[in-house]
Amino acid sequence: MIEVQNKKRSSRKRPQSFVRELFEWIKIIFVAGIAAFLLNNFVIANSTIPTGSMENTIMAGSRVFGSRLVYRFGEVKRNDIAIFLYGYKCRNDGQTYRETDRGTCPLCGREDKRNQPIYYVKRVIGMPGDHIEIKKTGEVDASYITKLNVRSASGKIPVGTVYVNGEEIKENYLPEPMIVDGNQFPEIDVTVPDNCYFMMGDNRNNSADARFWGENQFVKREKMLAKVYICYWPLNRFGMVK
């Protein structure tokens, strides 16, 4: 009789124990989800580099982490590699468009907040108030240009230099000379507005950056999301980004 009672008590405890364990797992998953949400939205930014626009600093297909806290509590600095809001892909007509003050898709008028945000990773070249010039300054043999398929009857390619406030900047991170032909690769002469930045890719001959953005040429401070610090994938490229 005693053994039967013990079995009954044991059978009653098993469902209660299972429910408690299940509840503990639900709490763990809930807390982990909240932690991941807070981490991804307020502490770090995770981005994939789909093109070769930042080669050889960041190779195409790489994944990087950036710190949101740096730009939330600190300042953007020249030469930072930054993740920023470039624009949107319209969920109505499929068009990708540059973020503007209008806050809508230029084709159909759909509000930005209802479309898919697009983030870019580029280097900060111009700070607020900087005078930025990109000038043709010489030529190189076409064999020096490997990131772009170019042809030249003379065998020479026009290249240029970036000047900030009248001074040439040293860009040791460029994988090859920057083409400046005044046409497809334009000369530039602009002054960066207050609270804005002039952004360029390190792979100048294959980067859709501020040189080609037309009237919406600059990135506003509030669109700068994070400073990139680490490339974490693929593993053979793991390391600090600078």
Side-chain angles (χ1 to χ4, degrees):
M1 188 67 178
I2 295 175
E3 291 180 0
V4 173
Q5 288 177 347
N6 287 340
K7 288 180 180 179
K8 288 182 178 180
R9 290 173 184 170
S10 176
S11 65
R12 285 197 297 267
K13 288 179 180 179
R14 284 173 190 162
Q16 294 176 357
S17 176
F18 173 77
V19 170
R20 283 198 300 268
E21 186 173 349
L22 179 62
F23 181 68
E24 290 299 321
W25 276 108
I26 292 174
K27 286 198 300 183
I28 291 171
I29 294 172
F30 178 76
V31 171
I34 294 296
F37 173 82
L38 294 174
L39 190 66
N40 286 323
N41 286 276
F42 298 100
V43 180
I44 65 170
N46 179 22
S47 184
T48 300
I49 313 301
T51 71
S53 67
M54 285 299 294
E55 292 181 0
N56 293 329
T57 307
I58 309 173
M59 304 302 289
S62 297
R63 299 178 186 176
V64 297
F65 277 140
S67 170
R68 293 178 183 268
L69 296 179
V70 170
Y71 289 165
R72 187 176 296 274
F73 299 108
E75 297 299 325
V76 178
K77 296 181 180 179
R78 193 188 317 279
N79 281 327
D80 280 0
I81 296 175
I83 301 171
F84 60 94
L85 178 66
Y86 165 80
Y88 299 88
K89 182 176 181 179
C90 182
R91 298 184 189 276
N92 187 40
D93 56 41
Q95 172 177 291
T96 295
Y97 61 94
R98 179 83 173 88
E99 186 270 337
T100 70
D101 291 336
R102 291 189 293 273
T104 60
C105 171
L107 279 185
C108 69
R110 185 184 176 96
E111 293 181 323
D112 290 347
K113 63 183 180 181
R114 299 173 61 200
N115 291 328
Q116 178 184 342
I118 296 175
Y119 301 100
Y120 271 14
V121 174
K122 304 288 183 189
R123 188 181 294 270
V124 179
I125 299 298
M127 302 288 286
D130 280 348
H131 180 208
I132 306 296
E133 297 172 281
I134 300 177
K135 301 178 181 179
K136 177 182 174 183
T137 52
E139 295 180 331
V140 298
D141 190 275
S143 63
Y144 280 88
I145 307 300
T146 62
K147 298 292 185 179
L148 187 69
N149 185 17
V150 294
R151 295 179 181 179
S152 171
S154 67
K156 299 292 183 180
I157 303 296
V159 296
T161 305
V162 178
Y163 296 85
V164 178
N165 300 321
E167 295 187 9
E168 175 184 349
I169 61 173
K170 303 299 180 183
E171 299 189 283
N172 298 326
Y173 41 79
L174 297 186
E176 63 186 14
M178 174 178 60
I179 300 175
V180 180
D181 61 5
N183 295 305
Q184 183 178 354
F185 298 91
E187 292 188 298
I188 298 291
D189 188 341
V190 297
T191 298
V192 184
D194 291 341
N195 204 43
C196 293
Y197 301 90
F198 189 86
M199 312 293 292
M200 297 179 73
D202 286 359
N203 185 7
R204 297 289 162 75
N205 301 330
N206 191 18
S207 174
D209 53 38
R211 294 169 293 171
F212 309 106
W213 293 345
E215 62 180 14
N216 303 303
Q217 197 167 25
F218 308 101
V219 179
K220 292 184 177 181
R221 177 64 177 84
E222 60 266 27
K223 306 303 179 183
M224 301 287 281
L225 301 183
K227 178 179 177 179
V228 174
Y229 278 103
I230 295 174
C231 176
Y232 69 90
W233 188 264
L235 293 178
N236 64 341
R237 298 178 194 155
F238 181 87
M240 300 296 292
V241 174
K242 58 183 180 180

